[in-house]
Amino acid sequence: MAAVPTLARRIARSGVRPLCRWPLAWGRAARQPPGLPLAPCRAFSNNKILVELDESSGVAMMKFKSPPVNSLSLDFLTEFCISLEKLENDRACRGVIFASAVPRIFSSGLDITEMSGKSMEHYAEFWRAVQEMWLRLYGSNMVTIAAVNGSSPAGGCLVALSCDYRIMVENPKFSIGLNEAQLGIVAPFWFKDTFVNVVGHRIAERSLQLGSLYPAPEALKFGLVDELVPEEKLQEKAMAVMAQWLALPDHARQLTKSMMRKAVLDRLVAHREEDVQNFVSFISKESIQKSLRMYMEMLKKKKS
Amino acid sequence: MAAVPTLARRIARSGVRPLCRWPLAWGRAARQPPGLPLAPCRAFSNNKILVELDESSGVAMMKFKSPPVNSLSLDFLTEFCISLEKLENDRACRGVIFASAVPRIFSSGLDITEMSGKSMEHYAEFWRAVQEMWLRLYGSNMVTIAAVNGSSPAGGCLVALSCDYRIMVENPKFSIGLNEAQLGIVAPFWFKDTFVNVVGHRIAERSLQLGSLYPAPEALKFGLVDELVPEEKLQEKAMAVMAQWLALPDHARQLTKSMMRKAVLDRLVAHREEDVQNFVSFISKESIQKSLRMYMEMLKKKKS
Amino acid sequence: MAAVPTLARRIARSGVRPLCRWPLAWGRAARQPPGLPLAPCRAFSNNKILVELDESSGVAMMKFKSPPVNSLSLDFLTEFCISLEKLENDRACRGVIFASAVPRIFSSGLDITEMSGKSMEHYAEFWRAVQEMWLRLYGSNMVTIAAVNGSSPAGGCLVALSCDYRIMVENPKFSIGLNEAQLGIVAPFWFKDTFVNVVGHRIAERSLQLGSLYPAPEALKFGLVDELVPEEKLQEKAMAVMAQWLALPDHARQLTKSMMRKAVLDRLVAHREEDVQNFVSFISKESIQKSLRMYMEMLKKKKS
């Protein structure tokens, strides 16, 4: 895998520490009868991501907590990679559930401010972090479940697509999709490959060209998400699905997962620097910068 | 891309000219309140294809008008390529809608008389024209919508499959499919690739082996067409869908389309001459010629 | 294609002989009015597989008769390859229907006793026979229909997936799927490729990781089987579907089938010995051997 020196340095100097130990107030553990001993649980947090690992079940909860919209900034991505790597290397952890701690949004996707008005070096560093996030998540040995408790456009959708299973809150106001084309930008080939692997070529072709965002019920229809549940059942459902996946022997499941995803992962690994250069030269075009500025203006107006 | 000297020469000497300027009596423009100025519109026609470009919307209408069944003869294919290239190079044109001006048939596919009782050179020239048509249409930068207002077997189905979107008249008497096997011939690998990209591997495998033609309602079920409408709503619907696709920034949509289709386009470009030779040696076999003669006899009997 | 000397020798010395000639008491032939002359029919049998060829229709019936569960032992696979090759080389035969002569089970898949407590040489010989079976069946020029009259896990599912069409008895107690992961083993890449070609990438990824077995009605929903019928209608239906496929000219159907399957077949041919070595080194691991012993213990306890 191509070296990612800057991100590696960021990870090294971050020194994320377990903050405390507390019971996992979540899912099955939370519904234990009072008085019973709670499962041992470690948690660590940093600025933007909260991680809780329930050692008895081997399941970690990773919650995105970067208001207002959990956008995937360089800082967020760095912390995401660090957190995921810690869990990947922790033999007590076999599965991770991803959810948002911010109401109504899972993640809004790549942080546009990282792609606008910055240096070429910054764009390259940012893009390597996006690649790194996907390579680690799509290639994770752990069972990964997206508990999509809010809208999830663009990069947020990619996070969900890269998991093994997607459960979404059945709220039609929450939408999901790779809508990059709407912003005048283009999803890179590995976003596309991941999407095609989930929904097939035709739906991917049409959806990517139109930059379609699908309300949860529509997303379910063609398999962009695997099931819908009421918001109050999401955590319970995610834990039940996780238990089903963890019932399989790890080594067989991991080898199978790798067999299914290797071709697509290898493709980015083989073209990683080329992909960075493509991104940098595309995003630094004045026409693209103008599109992004207009889009940000529109977002600001919407808010006020 | 391999040189196609003969087709190029045909295109060069054809000198298709704009015939006149008239309002686009079609879709939204046609329903403008009387008295309002009509959108400027250019039309050019030749023998077999009628093209109308509405400069205000950027949408061209290409109508197949080669009775009795719009078969894809060498002349038709040449005119198709010329017309498409003119639009592709016209900055006023951003999208094309394809429909038939012949009742009950969109296109009957490749003209069998071009494949029967002719010289090897003729077969080769014909096949290069078929390839050229597909390369230009599947690789078009414009938004392409098939308004399938009649049956569309074999090469007619390929034309529809190569567009971005397919709307079909909801008449169960109109059928669509790649039925080459029924004629004792074989759809080439790029017909197959295009088909797989739309309906997936399993349905393509089964349908190609059986040479299946699907009535419109069945074709909708597995995505061979995207939607059905009553015949009188077809033009309105095609315009509405076109407007939806044109709402996206061209550059993002074009790059995305190219990303989705490049692998399959490149495959023919890389094996183009080999594919011509395969076709010529296959079609000039006496057993295949006999099949085609029998098929044409059957068609004649059906008519009389 | 890589040499498979041991299997070839087994085939050579087997000398399977036609046992007798009798009328095909099956399907349409069986329902002929009494008094009419029956179609000429040859049958040959060996220990585990019964083959009947109806020369008038060109359809052979291959019945698996290896109680208790038609497991794919080295002997079974050898006889399967011999029988299939005989039919492939018999110009009177154009299609084969596969079914079980054992109640409630189509085939239980690879024989675990061939993978447990044996020598490396044995594992390699066994795996080559599994490869050979798939290469011959998936690449067959004949029309192949699986009449799945019982459960069909793992390798049994592969046999069905490798056919052109799958009809299953509509009994929800009969299940089908590639459940290798449940046993702690991994379906090889060509099982996966065959599966993906039938159900698409997403369903294959999820099902293979979970080792899912689907009751017949669920298997129908996502196309793992093509249709369900009551058990008493299975043979009639299989013959009717076969007649539909045989209505196409053989050469066009065969070339089309080869075009659809060649890439996946070529991939195993190109990596055949590597795949054998992977299997041998995986299966001879002590941890895997232990899993298989535990699984066999569980099966024994279930029975008693």
Side-chain angles (χ1 to χ4, degrees), chain A residues 180-189 192 196 201-206 208-211 282 287-288 291, chain B residues 138 143 163-166 196-199 223 226 244-245 247-249 251-257 259-261:
Chain A
E180 280 79 356
Q182 296 268 8
L183 284 68
I185 58 177
V186 180
F189 69 87
K192 182 265 286 180
V196 168
H201 191 280
R202 171 58 187 155
I203 289 171
E205 183 183 278
R206 178 175 156 186
L208 285 172
Q209 284 196 69
L210 291 172
F282 180 81
S287 59
I288 302 300
S291 290
Chain B
Y138 199 61
V143 175
C163 290
D164 292 317
Y165 199 83
R166 285 156 288 287
V196 168
N197 274 355
V198 174
V199 299
D226 293 299
Q244 188 195 358
W245 284 70
L248 279 289
H251 72 278
R253 189 190 48 70
Q254 288 163 356
L255 287 169
T256 304
K257 180 173 179 176
M259 173 174 67
M260 297 302 302
R261 301 190 167 189

Side-chain angles (χ1 to χ4, degrees), chain B residues 180-190 192 196 200-206 208-211 282 288 291, chain C residues 138 143 163-166 196-199 223 226 244-245 247-249 251-257 259-261:
Chain B
E180 281 78 356
Q182 297 266 7
L183 286 66
I185 58 177
V186 179
F189 71 86
W190 40 283
K192 182 264 290 179
V196 168
H201 191 280
R202 170 58 188 155
I203 289 171
E205 183 184 279
R206 179 174 155 185
L208 285 172
Q209 285 196 68
L210 291 172
F282 180 81
I288 302 300
S291 290
Chain C
Y138 199 61
V143 175
C163 289
D164 292 315
Y165 198 83
R166 285 155 288 285
V196 168
N197 274 356
V198 173
V199 299
D226 295 297
Q244 189 195 355
W245 286 68
L248 278 289
H251 73 278
R253 188 190 49 69
Q254 287 163 356
L255 287 169
T256 304
K257 181 172 179 177
M259 174 175 69
M260 295 304 301
R261 300 191 166 188

Side-chain angles (χ1 to χ4, degrees), chain A residues 73-269:
Chain A
S73 64
L74 185 51
D75 280 346
F76 186 99
L77 292 166
T78 307
E79 293 179 17
F80 183 92
C81 289
I82 293 165
S83 301
L84 199 64
E85 191 181 24
K86 285 172 67 86
L87 295 173
E88 200 83 57
N89 294 332
D90 188 336
R91 299 192 54 173
C93 183
R94 299 176 60 213
V96 192
I97 296 168
F98 301 89
S100 169
V102 175
R104 291 182 304 282
I105 189 92
F106 180 72
S107 161
S108 65
L110 304 188
D111 188 342
I112 297 176
T113 64
E114 303 278 12
M115 304 191 272
S116 176
K118 300 283 195 304
S119 69
M120 309 275 268
E121 289 70 31
H122 184 86
Y123 297 149
E125 183 181 6
F126 176 62
W127 199 246
R128 283 193 195 97
V130 180
Q131 293 175 330
E132 189 70 19
M133 178 272 285
W134 178 76
L135 288 169
R136 286 178 185 274
L137 180 56
Y138 200 61
S140 173
N141 266 324
M142 300 180 288
V143 175
T144 52
I145 294 179
V148 185
N149 54 349
S151 284
S152 196
C157 178
L158 182 74
V159 170
L161 285 170
S162 303
C163 290
D164 292 315
Y165 200 84
R166 287 155 286 286
I167 308 167
M168 191 163 179
V169 168
E170 65 183 1
N171 187 338
K173 287 186 186 160
F174 296 165
S175 62
I176 185 168
L178 293 175
N179 63 326
E180 280 79 356
Q182 296 268 8
L183 284 68
I185 58 177
V186 180
F189 69 87
W190 38 284
F191 280 50
K192 182 265 286 180
D193 289 342
T194 311
F195 198 28
V196 168
N197 275 355
V198 173
V199 300
H201 191 280
R202 171 58 187 155
I203 289 171
E205 183 183 278
R206 178 175 156 186
S207 304
L208 285 172
Q209 284 196 69
L210 291 172
S212 306
L213 285 174
Y214 297 99
E218 268 194 73
L220 177 69
K221 273 187 206 159
F222 56 85
L224 176 47
V225 297
D226 294 297
E227 57 184 311
L228 302 185
V229 293
E231 181 136 26
E232 66 276 15
K233 299 274 187 187
L234 179 61
Q235 302 186 345
E236 184 183 341
K237 184 71 195 181
M239 289 302 280
V241 169
M242 180 60 84
Q244 188 195 358
W245 285 68
L246 291 181
L248 278 289
D250 279 340
H251 72 278
R253 189 190 47 70
Q254 288 163 355
L255 287 168
T256 304
K257 180 172 179 175
S258 164
M259 175 175 68
M260 297 302 303
R261 300 189 167 190
K262 193 173 183 307
V264 160
L265 286 162
D266 284 355
R267 209 172 151 208
L268 176 57
V269 171

Side-chain angles (χ1 to χ4, degrees), chain C residues 180-191:
Chain C
E180 282 78 357
Q182 296 268 6
L183 285 67
I185 58 177
V186 179
F189 69 86
W190 38 285
F191 280 50

